[in-house]
């Protein structure tokens, strides 16, 4: 009895995960406002009725998928910066660079998802609130690194939170430009984007004599 219940729970979780992954794949092929439930069900190889066993509608479905995506991305960034296991890079400037590298890796892997997040972050309702909350958490993480740099004596006294907010605006714009590129028309590479944002992060903040790496 207990084994059957556990097996059923695992199967339900597997089906739910398959639906979320199907949604991410479809977003890469089709505009979100043109996606229908049957598209998601077909991609996940389940019936339309199965979709409604897990989600009330497409809005709740995409909310859940987006929430998972941003949590995964933030987790990767925090892990790379050593904030989860205490192995943080001793040089706060390198931590900032690494955060941008992970950020653009995520943009590259989830181009349509990022464009959707960027373009719809000012939406009213639960979707817009979720996106804004996710971006505020990225600001919080960057603020921590800038505060560490400040305490280490690397920077002149500027508000780490204000600088982080400004950097978010620049980062989102450059990420949008990067994500909107297509094929041979690509002119902005990931390394150039990371180098530029890292340099802009530190311009005017570093004390004289400190290397910008």
């Amino acid at each position: 009895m207990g084994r059957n219940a556990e097996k059923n729970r695992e199967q339900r979780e597997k089906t739910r995960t398959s639906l979320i992954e199907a949604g991410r794949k479809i977003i890469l092929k089709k505009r979100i406002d043109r996606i229908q439930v049957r598209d998601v069900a077909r991609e996940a190889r389940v019936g339309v009725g199965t979709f409604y066993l897990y989600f009330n509608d497409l809005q709740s479905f995409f909310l859940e998928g987006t929430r998972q995506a941003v949590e995964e991305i933030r987790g990767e960034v925090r892990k790379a910066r050593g904030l989860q296991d205490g192995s943080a890079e001793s040089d706060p400037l390198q931590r900032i660079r690494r955060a941008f590298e992970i950020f653009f890796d995520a943009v590259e892997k989830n181009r349509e998802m990022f464009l959707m997040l960027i373009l719809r972050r000012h939406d009213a309702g639960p979707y817009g609130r979720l996106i804004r909350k996710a971006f505020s958490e990225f600001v919080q993480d960057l603020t921590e690194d800038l505060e560490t740099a400040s305490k280490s004596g690397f920077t002149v006294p500027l508000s780490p939170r204000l600088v982080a907010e400004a950097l978010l605006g620049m980062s989102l714009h450059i990420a949008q430009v990067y994500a909107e590129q297509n094929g041979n028309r690509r002119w902005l590479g990931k390394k150039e984007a990371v180098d530029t944002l890292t340099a802009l992060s530190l311009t005017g903040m570093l004390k004289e004599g400190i290397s910008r790496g």
Side-chain angles (χ1 to χ4, degrees), residues 67-81:
R67 183 190 64 77
Q68 288 189 18
V70 296
E71 285 183 359
E72 289 171 10
I73 293 166
R74 189 182 183 218
E76 290 177 6
V77 172
R78 290 176 68 82
K79 183 177 180 180
R81 293 161 61 231

Side-chain angles (χ1 to χ4, degrees), residues 18 55 66 171 179 190 202 210:
S18 294
F55 302 98
T66 300
S171 300
K190 181 168 62 178
L202 305 174
I210 300 293

Side-chain angles (χ1 to χ4, degrees), residues 114-130:
F114 257 90
L115 284 175
M116 183 175 63
L117 294 176
I118 291 170
L119 296 174
R120 298 192 60 182
R121 67 187 185 278
H122 298 303
D123 283 7
Y127 200 82
R129 287 196 296 272
L130 174 66

Side-chain angles (χ1 to χ4, degrees), residues 13 16-17 19-21 23-24 27 32 51 54-72 113 116-117 126-127 130:
E13 186 59 34
R16 184 183 182 88
T17 299
L19 286 165
I20 294 292
E21 291 178 351
R24 294 183 185 181
I27 287 175
I32 190 170
F51 175 93
Y54 295 87
F55 302 98
N56 293 328
D57 49 34
L58 280 173
Q59 183 186 54
S60 62
F61 170 71
F62 283 118
L63 279 171
E64 177 64 15
T66 300
R67 183 190 64 77
Q68 288 189 18
V70 296
E71 285 183 359
E72 289 171 10
M113 174 67 78
M116 183 175 63
L117 294 176
Y127 200 82
L130 174 66

